[in-house]
Amino acid sequence: MGYGLLAAAIAAEVAGTTAMKYSEGFTRLWPSLVTVVGYLLAFSLLAQTLKTMSMGTAYAIWAGIGTAAVAVIGILFMGESGNLVKVAGVVLVIAGVVVLNLGGAH
């Protein structure tokens, strides 16, 4: 159940961050509301996750996968550059999350 809640927390954080781009500095109502709701949901789900997972591992997964997902969304849908260095960075973030899990997520 911990990983399911964590996946939902990541999805909510990614949705909130993506909506933030469209909020134009919180000047557009609906993207701004999606941002606020996304982050409230993300933090609530992350808090529930911490009942069953270690804090360091859960937060590293949440932040790492969220960061990688937002970077990929930026490249694929928002016209951001997708050079080799950026792709390598995303791969390294994901590798770091895998290593943390191998090191003892519970």
Side-chain angles (χ1 to χ4, degrees):
M1 183 162 108
Y3 282 103
L5 287 172
L6 185 56
I10 293 166
E13 186 263 336
V14 168
T17 302
T18 303
M20 191 183 305
K21 170 71 173 172
Y22 292 110
S23 76
E24 296 180 15
F26 294 110
T27 60
R28 297 182 60 218
L29 177 63
W30 293 110
S32 298
L33 289 176
V34 171
T35 298
V36 170
V37 169
Y39 273 94
L40 285 172
L41 185 58
F43 283 119
S44 296
L45 290 167
L46 182 60
Q48 293 302 310
T49 301
L50 295 178
K51 291 179 179 179
T52 59
M53 290 182 72
S54 68
M55 181 177 60
T57 301
Y59 186 75
I61 294 169
W62 181 75
I65 298 299
T67 299
V70 168
V72 170
I73 288 169
I75 292 167
L76 295 178
F77 301 110
M78 297 183 177
E80 295 179 6
S81 66
N83 58 41
L84 186 59
V85 173
K86 189 178 279 189
V87 172
V90 169
V91 169
L92 287 170
V93 167
I94 293 169
V97 168
V98 170
V99 170
L100 275 172
N101 273 303
L102 292 174
H106 29 359

